[in-house]
Amino acid sequence: MEHTATLSGRRVIVTGGGVGIGLGIARRFARAGAHVAITTHSRPVEDVVEMLATEGIEVLGAQLDARDSAQTDRVIDELAGRLGGLDVLVNNAGGLIARHRVAQMSDEYWDKVMALNVASVFYASRAALRHLGEGGRIVTISSLAGKNGGGNGSAAYATAKAALDGFTRALAKEVAPDGITVNAIAPGLILDTPFHETFTPAEAQQQAINAIPLGRPGYPADVAAAAEYYARADSGFATGTSLDLNGGAYFA
C-alpha cells in the first residue's frame, strides 16, 4: 500500500517496535517518509531490521529492556544520535505478562507489570525530552483496559494503562510551552499481535468481535494510522488526549 509522505523527514523512535502494534507503526511511519529507529526486547533486533529490509523498509534498531532506566537513557541517546536528532517518540513497549486475580496476586507480579507498562514510558519520555524541541511529539500506546478495567485477571495491567492516560495529560501540560505535544491511543481488540495470541483464546476473541459495533477486530495498521496523525508536524493543536480506538465497543 502506498502512503503519502506525511512524515517526510521526521525522526522517530518506536519502543517495542519488533512485533504487533509497534512493528505496524514502524512500517507505516517509514512508508510515510519518516526516518525510523526501533527498540525491541522480545526478539533479536537484527532479525526485525533484516525482515523489514526485505520489504524495502530501512530502519535503525537497538535491543532494549525498557524497564531499565540507565539502559533506556543510553539507547534513546544513541538512536537519537544515529538519526541526527529526534522529532517523535512512540511509547509502545508494554504487555500483560500474565492474568492474575488480585486476591492471588504477588507483589513481584504487580511490580513487574508497573515496570513494564508505566516506568518504561516514564524512562523513555524523560530521555526523549533531552532531544525533542518545537514540533516534537510523544505518542503513547495505552489500552481500552485502562478505561473499562480489562478482562478477568488483568487488574494490574488495567491500572497501569489508566496511569498512562494520567501521565499523558500531566506531561502534555508540562511541555506545551516548548511546542511539544503528548497524546495516547487506547486500542481495543487488536489481532495479529502476540498479546491476544497469548492471552485471549479464540472463543473469547470471537465474543469480543461480536460485541464490536463495526463488526470486526482492529489490526496493527489501524493503530498505526492513528499514531501517524499524532506524529505529524501539522497535528500540533491536539495534546493531552487519549483516543479510543475500538470499533465502537466503548466510548466515554
Side-chain angles (χ1 to χ4, degrees):
M1 181 185 298
E2 293 297 324
H3 295 292
T4 56
T6 55
L7 300 178
S8 181
R10 301 284 273 171
R11 298 160 298 183
V12 179
I13 295 174
V14 181
T15 68
V19 296
I21 289 172
L23 182 57
I25 290 172
R27 280 193 175 105
R28 184 174 182 109
F29 280 28
R31 289 169 176 158
H35 304 298
V36 178
I38 63 168
T39 74
T40 183
H41 184 247
S42 61
R43 59 189 295 199
V45 70
E46 296 84 2
D47 292 353
V48 183
V49 171
E50 290 175 9
M51 178 193 69
L52 289 173
T54 66
E55 302 174 19
I57 296 173
E58 182 178 347
V59 301
L60 303 176
Q63 212 75 30
L64 173 65
D65 182 345
R67 301 167 297 182
D68 186 312
S69 174
Q71 189 180 144
T72 300
D73 279 340
R74 177 180 59 77
V75 169
I76 295 293
D77 287 350
E78 173 198 330
L79 291 176
R82 292 170 67 188
L83 288 167
L86 185 63
D87 301 296
V88 181
L89 169 69
V90 179
N91 285 309
N92 175 71
L96 180 65
I97 301 179
R99 293 191 185 275
H100 291 297
R101 296 176 64 84
V102 171
Q104 289 80 41
M105 191 180 298
S106 68
D107 295 355
E108 180 185 20
Y109 172 77
W110 175 271
D111 290 343
K112 283 182 177 179
V113 174
M114 295 303 150
L116 179 59
N117 292 283
V118 182
S120 66
V121 171
F122 162 58
Y123 297 151
S125 299
R126 181 180 60 184
L129 287 171
R130 293 196 291 270
H131 304 279
L132 294 171
E134 178 76 31
R137 306 281 183 260
I138 296 176
V139 184
T140 296
I141 306 304
S142 180
S143 173
L144 172 59
K147 310 291 183 72
N148 71 0
N152 289 335
S154 61
Y157 178 78
T159 302
K161 292 301 189 179
L164 294 185
D165 289 338
F167 181 74
T168 293
R169 290 188 287 268
L171 185 57
K173 289 181 177 181
E174 278 192 23
V175 300
D178 302 315
I180 300 168
T181 68
V182 187
N183 292 285
I185 300 169
L189 180 68
I190 306 295
L191 298 188
D192 290 349
T193 63
F195 184 107
H196 288 296
E197 290 168 2
T198 304
F199 299 111
T200 310
E203 182 179 348
Q205 290 183 21
Q206 190 57 54
Q207 289 174 349
I209 293 168
N210 293 342
I212 296 173
L214 284 181
R216 71 167 180 88
Y219 294 95
D222 294 305
V223 186
E228 180 183 338
Y229 167 73
Y230 281 132
R232 286 163 49 163
D234 61 356
S235 69
F237 202 55
T239 197
T241 71
S242 178
L243 175 67
D244 292 326
L245 192 73
N246 56 55
Y250 172 93
F251 36 80

